């Protein structure tokens, strides 16, 4: 699409943001060449959220950018209140743009008497006014079905894969740190034309994992460990140790969501890892910044901006992930 048609297609659309990731919202607006919507999202003296949209939204197609990253409950309530406000102000359609969907890991009853919070939160988001959801690398793809509205589920794959293609690492193996990541790791191995290895991980506590064995050969290979998110860093730390033990050369890590909590900073600094590439789905916190030159942040603003444009103009979103050469460069359009 030429630039003239690109801009002409964007009428009657507004982008708003809560406080969770305003820099990403700004970048998405830059991609779309539209200003960020004017709204106040502050706090009352008692800590309750105070919110006001400062411009007319009647009949407008709204995209509200708000990852539900830590502080997850604060960010979630901001999202819900913002949608309630937009709905009552007669917005034509509200798309909740969740670059990171928190609570996603609580997606089933893995023991008795526990909630399924990923479903509960999806219910609340729809109830508060979301007509659609746009999200990136859900912890499990099935979570799309928890929302009873259309969900566009993007993958950070084109952004991360493009980065690793440009690094052009020799003798490379792609590693998934648990069996749940095999499908996406296989896509990387196919695109990068390298072999795949699998780490057999079992979670033994919120911060602890236990690693059994590795399927595949990593001896004298450079490896990229790929994961959807890094929280306490336990999974990546353990995986890096065993990969080194098995003779891996340089270890790179690629993860979409830099949650970085608990002892992530210490663990990731101590781990035998050369570089960790993450996206800006979540702003980098102090633990992430503390990793210094070990951390590399790649932007998914173009990916989200392009998806927003296509949703607004009723064009295919899934074709962004097809293998056609024309679709890939579009994320870097501006
Ligand atoms: C697990 O299934 C996920 O894909 C991540 O590997 C995990 O949630 C990361 O958590 P942590 O960094 O605390 O090990």
């Amino acid at each position: 699409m030429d630039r003239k048609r690109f801009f002409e297609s964007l009428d009657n659309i507004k982008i708003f943001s809560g406080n969770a990731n305003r820099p990403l919202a700004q970048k998405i607006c830059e991609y779309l060449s539209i200003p960020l919507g004017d709204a106040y999202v502050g706090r009352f003296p008692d800590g309750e959220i105070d919110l006001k949209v400062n411009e007319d939204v009647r009949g407008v197609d709204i995209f509200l950018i708000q990852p539900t990253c830590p502080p997850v409950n604060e960010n979630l309530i901001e999202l819900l209140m913002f949608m309630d406000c937009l709905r009552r102000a007669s917005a034509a359609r509200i798309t909740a743009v969740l670059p990171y969907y928190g609570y996603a890991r609580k997606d089933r009853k893995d023991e008795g008497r526990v909630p399924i919070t990923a479903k509960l939160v999806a219910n609340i988001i729809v109830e508060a006014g979301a007509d659609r959801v746009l999200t990136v690398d859900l912890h499990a793809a099935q979570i799309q079905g928890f929302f009873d509205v259309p969900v566009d589920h993007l993958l950070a794959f084109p952004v991360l894969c493009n980065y690793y293609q440009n690094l052009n690492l020799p003798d490379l193996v792609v590693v998934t740190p648990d069996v749940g990541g095999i499908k996406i790791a296989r896509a990387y191995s196919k695109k990068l034309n390298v072999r795949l290895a699998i780490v057999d991980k079992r979670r033994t506590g919120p911060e602890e994992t236990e690693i059994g064995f590795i399927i595949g050969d990593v001896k004298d290979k450079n490896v990229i460990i790929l994961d959807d998110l890094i929280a306490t860093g336990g999974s990546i730390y353990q995986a890096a140790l065993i990969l080194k033990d098995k003779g891996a050369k340089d270890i790179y890590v690629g993860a979409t969501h830099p949650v970085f909590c608990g002892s992530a900073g210490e663990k990731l600094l101590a781990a035998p890892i050369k570089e960790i590439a993450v996206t800006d789905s979540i702003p980098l916190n102090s633990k992430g910044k503390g990793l210094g030159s070990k951390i590399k942040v790649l932007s998914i603003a173009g990916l989200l901006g392009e998806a927003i444009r296509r949703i607004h103009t009723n064009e295919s979103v899934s074709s962004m992930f097809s293998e056609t050469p024309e679709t890939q460069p579009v994320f870097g359009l501006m």
Side-chain angles (χ1 to χ4, degrees), residues 105 139 177-178 180-181 201 203 206-209 227-237 261 264 267:
R105 287 182 290 172
H139 177 61
D178 56 50
K201 174 187 98 176
R203 187 162 284 287
E207 287 230 24
E208 298 86 39
T209 54
D227 214 343
D228 58 329
L229 67 95
I230 301 175
T232 66
S235 308
I236 294 295
Y237 176 75
C261 57
K267 277 198 188 113

